[in-house]
Amino acid sequence: QVQLVQSGAEVKKPGASVKVSCKASGYTFTSYGISWVRQAPGQGLEWMGWISAYNGNTNYAQKLQGRVTMTTDTSTSTAYMELRSLRSDDTAVYYCARTTYCGGDCYSWFDPWGQGTLVTVSS
Amino acid sequence: QSALTQPASVSGSPGQSITISCTGTSSDVGGYNYVSWYQQHPGKAPKLMIYEVSNRPSGVSNRFSGSKSGNTASLTISGLQAEDEADYYCSSYTSSSTNVFGTGTKVTVL
């Protein structure tokens, strides 16, 4: 079955970086994109960006431009999300989700989702 | 990109139907048929319930249906059941080739 398995919880200090992994299985990795979505405690879902697993093209949320980098390793069907210069308001559960390609630079719905990775930023 | 607007909460009795709205602009909801809906139970990852406005993935109950009119999309849950109590989020593709989520709606089964 299609499955995304994420790396474990992280605790980081302000100013540090974190890199979360997302290993895909059960489908052709390069036929879809991977999106990253985060959810701060008690808050809603926030779209962070997507990466095409086919050609590595990316599109990031404007508010994260310059701090986030999404990459893939097609040899291991794994996607990565690195967030730098961490702040306390980056504390959240980070999800990866397989994203369906809809033509051009269009990636639409998210299914399935990884189990989530809690990133805590605290001094 | 501002979040799509959803009501904070909607409630209904078992067996009733409820509708959750999701309002955006012509640059997102109104401009594309790439609206999707997600169900999230506490402590769990979101689950896709509707994609491309009104399509149901395999395995999702036919009690869930989606529609769109202008800049507003809607999710209807008919025959409300206790297990439907959860948070629901809409999402849309946008003219900037990004995606945006709704503010989220807490559904309570009375």
Side-chain angles (χ1 to χ4, degrees), chain B residues 22 28-35 53-54 66-74:
Chain B
C22 169
D28 39 64
V29 174
Y32 306 92
N33 287 326
Y34 293 124
V35 175
V53 176
S54 60
S67 62
K68 190 184 85 167
S69 178
N71 296 337
T72 298
S74 299

Side-chain angles (χ1 to χ4, degrees), chain A residues 6-117:
Chain A
Q6 299 182 221
S7 49
E10 304 262 14
V11 179
K12 297 291 183 181
K13 293 192 181 304
S17 298
V18 69
K19 191 170 187 177
V20 180
S21 68
C22 170
K23 183 170 176 59
S25 61
Y27 71 97
T28 302
F29 185 65
T30 52
S31 295
Y32 293 82
I34 293 287
S35 294
W36 291 88
V37 177
R38 69 181 180 178
Q39 186 170 37
Q43 302 301 308
L45 302 175
E46 178 186 9
W47 179 81
M48 299 178 66
W50 54 253
I51 180 167
S52 164
Y54 174 71
N55 58 18
N57 286 352
T58 56
N59 199 353
Y60 303 138
Q62 190 170 11
K63 69 176 287 187
L64 296 174
Q65 292 272 3
R67 288 208 299 140
V68 67
T69 301
M70 297 175 188
T71 56
T72 59
D73 180 345
T74 56
S75 69
T76 60
S77 298
T78 302
Y80 300 92
M81 185 284 298
E82 181 180 33
L83 189 60
R84 300 175 294 278
S85 301
L86 289 168
R87 310 187 289 245
S88 58
D89 62 356
D90 291 318
T91 294
V93 175
Y94 288 75
Y95 294 101
C96 63
R98 187 182 71 165
T99 309
T100 297
Y101 179 62
C102 44
D105 278 339
C106 173
Y107 282 89
S108 53
W109 64 92
F110 316 108
D111 179 55
W113 296 57
Q115 83 276 21
T117 297

Side-chain angles (χ1 to χ4, degrees), chain A residues 95, chain B residues 39-45 85-87 106:
Chain A
Y95 294 101
Chain B
Q39 176 191 65
Q40 185 180 35
H41 287 108
K44 300 295 188 183
E85 186 161 295
D87 293 327
K106 182 176 180 59

Side-chain angles (χ1 to χ4, degrees), chain B residues 21-106:
Chain B
S21 61
C22 169
T23 301
T25 69
S26 58
S27 295
D28 39 64
V29 174
Y32 306 92
N33 287 326
Y34 293 124
V35 175
S36 51
W37 290 89
Y38 303 87
Q39 176 191 65
Q40 185 180 35
H41 287 108
K44 300 295 188 183
K47 174 187 175 183
L48 176 69
M49 304 302 284
I50 296 287
Y51 66 96
E52 288 184 339
V53 176
S54 60
N55 294 309
R56 241 182 352 264
S58 173
V60 172
S61 172
N62 59 9
R63 298 186 298 104
F64 292 84
S65 62
S67 62
K68 190 184 85 167
S69 178
N71 296 337
T72 298
S74 299
L75 173 72
T76 297
I77 309 174
S78 58
L80 198 62
Q81 298 180 1
E83 67 207 50
D84 300 332
E85 186 161 295
D87 293 327
Y88 291 82
Y89 295 90
C90 61
S91 177
S92 176
Y93 175 71
T94 82
S95 59
S96 302
S97 300
T98 62
N99 299 80
V100 61
F101 283 98
T103 50
T105 298
K106 182 176 180 59

